Amino acid sequence: MSAAAPAQIIAIPSKRRSAEIVPSDRMDDDAYLGQFIPLHYHGQMLSDEGRISAFQEAIEKLIPEDAHVVELGGGTGILSFLASKRARKVSCIERIPHVAAAARRFIEANGASHKVTVFDGDARTFVPDEPADVVICEMLHAGLVREKQIAVLEDFKARHEAHFGRGIPLIIPEATILAVQPVYQPYDFGGYVAPVPLFFQAGINSGPTVELGSPEVYAIVEYARETPVDFVFDRLMTIDSTGTINALRFITKNVVGIFPKEGRSSDWHMNYMSIPLPEPIHVTAGERIRVRFQYEAGASMQSLGNAISATPWRRR
Ligand SMILES: C[S@@+](CC[C@H](N)C(=O)[O-])C[C@H]1O[C@@H](n2cnc3c(N)ncnc32)[C@H](O)[C@@H]1O
């Protein structure tokens, strides 16, 4: 069956059917690396109250009234719409034409088209017609894998500086904090065992996962500063409970806006991402283990999965 599949694909007459077939090497960048988010995925993002309220508060409190706001990766346009309530002008760029078209319709229907312009195009080459006072960019994924938040923002900051001779005063979100935790993750699905990446709502009732050690922060990414390209972790972690570690939980907290006068921030906790270890290890409370991984920001989850390890550590 599997051996016959490639021959079938090659045999399909290209004139009639080629549009339905995407060669796997061309799918990598778009489908696997988080650049292709069609409209039918946006409902979940719009329904995520924790995400929307964190951005709404940051936008309301931090955007100056005469600001020019640039949104990179505008999706359905919701953040540009929220920004338009404060800003003088919003330039929103979206790469997927049917999503950009939907954003334009929604912006119009919500009475904001006099302030928001939605551009079709790639944020990695976009230059606005005037300097940006605030940039909004939500190309975030748990662990900062897949989506291109860091690369797109680094490119835009450099282009902005080159064109306008100045940096960007404010970027929303302001920062992302990344942590990792050793866990036991059940992978039994109706008697079928399949260790695959899993996502759970962040918080105390976070599904069936068993925490075997405390989380450790491995990166604080501040978007207005120079951001890291790679995340490298090689540390000894102390185990709190006896059990089997078969996965690492990646914890991602976005600091969307910081309000110094109030001494707090609006935060968005993304889903916990649980990545199975290639080799589970048995551990006892008090023991230390060596946990290692290395991945590029925006890399595929598969490459993260291939790069993680946890091994027993004994003092020599
Ligand atoms: C996670 S969604 C967020 C959408 C919207 N900002 C929101 O908060 O609902 C990221 C959006 O960025 C778009 N995108 C990804 N890479 C892009 C790029 N290089 N240039 C422009 N848009 C991009 C995607 O198509 C998607 O609509």
Side-chain angles (χ1 to χ4, degrees):
M1 182 82 180
S2 60
Q8 273 182 336
I9 289 170
I10 292 162
I12 289 170
S14 61
K15 276 185 191 150
R16 278 197 298 122
R17 300 286 305 275
S18 62
E20 294 163 31
I21 296 166
V22 181
S24 61
D25 58 342
R26 279 206 278 126
M27 274 171 60
D28 279 354
D29 189 36
D30 276 358
Y32 292 153
L33 296 185
Q35 295 281 287
F36 186 70
I37 305 176
L39 191 60
H40 56 269
Y41 290 132
H42 282 265
Q44 264 183 314
M45 286 185 260
L46 291 166
S47 314
D48 186 337
E49 283 176 24
R51 184 183 88 99
I52 300 296
S53 62
F55 275 94
Q56 188 161 21
E57 189 178 20
I59 285 167
E60 277 169 10
K61 290 192 168 151
L62 299 177
I63 294 186
E65 278 190 348
D66 64 343
H68 173 218
V69 176
V70 170
E71 186 183 6
L72 306 173
T76 56
I78 184 167
L79 303 183
S80 286
F81 167 70
L82 295 173
S84 75
K85 294 184 176 183
R86 297 274 310 160
R88 171 178 52 85
K89 161 175 162 174
V90 183
S91 305
C92 168
I93 175 123
E94 168 55 50
R95 181 169 174 257
I96 299 182
H98 79 271
V99 177
R104 238 173 255 119
R105 279 200 315 276
F106 301 154
I107 291 284
E108 168 92 45
N110 284 276
S113 53
H114 62 297
K115 284 202 182 173
V116 182
T117 307
V118 180
F119 297 92
D120 282 273
D122 192 331
R124 291 174 296 192
T125 53
F126 180 63
V127 181
D129 61 353
E130 61 173 284
D133 302 300
V134 181
V135 168
I136 299 173
C137 183
E138 197 283 78
M139 296 187 195
L140 296 160
H141 185 284
L144 294 184
V145 292
R146 301 197 80 233
E147 295 201 48
K148 299 293 181 286
Q149 178 83 357
I150 286 184
V152 165
L153 271 174
E154 280 304 307
D155 276 8
F156 187 78
K157 286 191 292 185
R159 218 171 318 115
H160 191 275
E161 182 107 42
H163 272 79
F164 301 113
R166 66 165 162 102
I168 300 150
L170 176 67
I171 295 175
I172 295 175
E174 302 205 40
T176 298
I177 300 170
L178 299 169
V180 66
Q181 183 174 26
V183 296
Y184 171 72
Q185 183 66 60
Y187 288 117
D188 187 318
F189 303 97
Y192 187 63
V193 176
V196 290
L198 292 172
F199 294 85
F200 298 96
Q201 195 176 355
I204 37 171
N205 298 318
S206 55
T209 316
V210 182
E211 299 175 357
L212 295 173
S214 301
E216 282 199 24
V217 171
Y218 63 90
I220 300 175
V221 180
E222 294 177 82
Y223 294 108
R225 296 178 182 226
E226 200 176 326
T227 44
V229 175
D230 290 307
F231 301 111
V232 182
F233 187 91
D234 184 356
R235 286 193 214 161
L236 297 178
M237 299 183 84
T238 302
I239 296 307
D240 297 332
S241 313
T242 298
T244 298
I245 294 171
N246 64 352
L248 295 181
R249 171 193 273 171
F250 289 83
I251 300 168
T252 312
K253 177 169 122 173
N254 297 300
V255 182
V256 181
I258 300 171
F259 319 123
K261 283 186 191 154
E262 298 175 38
R264 63 177 200 91
S265 53
S266 66
D267 301 331
W268 171 33
H269 295 261
M270 301 189 93
N271 282 343
Y272 289 150
M273 179 173 72
S274 181
I275 304 283
L277 283 164
E279 298 290 339
I281 55 168
H282 298 283
V283 291
T284 47
E287 177 183 347
R288 294 213 283 173
I289 60 167
R290 183 178 183 186
V291 174
R292 282 186 284 184
F293 57 83
Q294 175 164 11
Y295 66 98
E296 212 178 302
S300 67
M301 287 179 49
Q302 197 180 356
S303 72
L304 172 59
N306 292 341
I308 63 174
S309 70
T311 46
W313 183 80
R314 284 176 189 84
R315 198 182 294 277
R316 284 152 205 242

